[in-house]
Amino acid sequence: MGKLFILLTSLFLYSCSAHYHVVKAMKKGYRCGQDSDTIRITSIDSIPYVLNDSIYWERIVVQKDTIVRYKSYKVPQTRFQTRILYRYKTKLVKADVLKVKYKNKYITKYKTRWFLVILAFVLGLLVKLTISETFRSRLKLLSKLFK
């Protein structure tokens, strides 16, 4: 039991400190910074005033605005996290490719048969002409002319 206690205390005393991990993280890209940054915009205004028939200018320093800008921390990802993210992105891309292939597979492409379209147009025109009374009267006149 005594040897186990000595072993555990030696491991505890010689383990890594927090400073070691912060320095290691800084080497990998971690930046320690402030949570927010306050910017005060100051300007100098000049105001004229008249005193004894002469114009004097007085300078006044005015603080116009205060802006709070929040900085974001960039914590580097581990190899395991980047691997998982890469796998997720590749699965999404593969799924999108399969969707496009599936859509294109079942789209039916057919050629327009222009001969049938023109034939239908001509037949429709002839039917319209035969129904109109003026066309029938002209046919009667044409038949009388050739007799």
Side-chain angles (χ1 to χ4, degrees):
M1 185 70 177
K3 291 183 182 181
L4 182 64
F5 179 73
I6 293 171
L7 181 67
L8 289 176
T9 54
S10 64
L11 284 175
F12 179 74
L13 291 175
Y14 290 107
S15 64
C16 307
S17 64
H19 178 70
Y20 169 79
H21 289 288
V22 170
V23 170
K24 192 173 178 182
M26 285 178 153
K27 286 180 183 176
K28 290 185 178 182
Y30 176 77
R31 287 187 286 156
C32 293
Q34 299 173 351
D35 288 339
S36 64
D37 192 14
T38 305
I39 301 168
R40 295 178 189 215
I41 300 170
T42 58
S43 64
I44 299 173
D45 290 339
S46 299
I47 299 174
Y49 64 94
V50 178
L51 185 68
N52 297 331
D53 295 336
S54 59
I55 299 174
Y56 294 101
W57 295 85
E58 185 175 343
R59 286 188 187 176
I60 298 174
V61 177
V62 179
Q63 286 186 345
K64 297 228 180 187
D65 204 359
T66 303
I67 302 169
V68 178
R69 184 180 66 205
Y70 292 99
K71 294 181 180 178
S72 61
Y73 294 110
K74 182 185 178 292
V75 179
Q77 293 180 339
T78 62
R79 273 192 237 160
F80 182 69
Q81 289 172 335
T82 53
R83 252 177 56 204
I84 289 174
L85 188 63
Y86 177 74
R87 284 182 185 172
Y88 178 71
K89 285 181 182 179
T90 54
K91 283 182 183 178
L92 281 178
V93 169
K94 285 180 182 178
D96 289 342
V97 167
L98 288 176
K99 282 181 190 176
V100 170
K101 281 184 181 179
Y102 182 75
K103 284 181 183 177
N104 289 341
K105 184 177 181 181
Y106 292 103
I107 293 176
T108 56
K109 296 180 182 179
Y110 54 90
K111 271 188 152 178
T112 306
R113 297 181 180 151
W114 290 106
F115 175 73
L116 294 177
V117 173
I118 293 170
L119 184 66
F121 179 75
V122 170
L123 286 175
L125 187 64
L126 287 175
V127 168
K128 182 181 175 186
L129 286 176
T130 55
I131 291 175
S132 70
E133 192 168 326
T134 55
F135 182 70
R136 283 186 276 153
S137 64
R138 288 186 182 177
L139 281 177
K140 287 179 185 175
L141 287 174
L142 187 65
S143 66
K144 286 182 184 179
L145 184 66
F146 285 116
K147 283 187 184 181

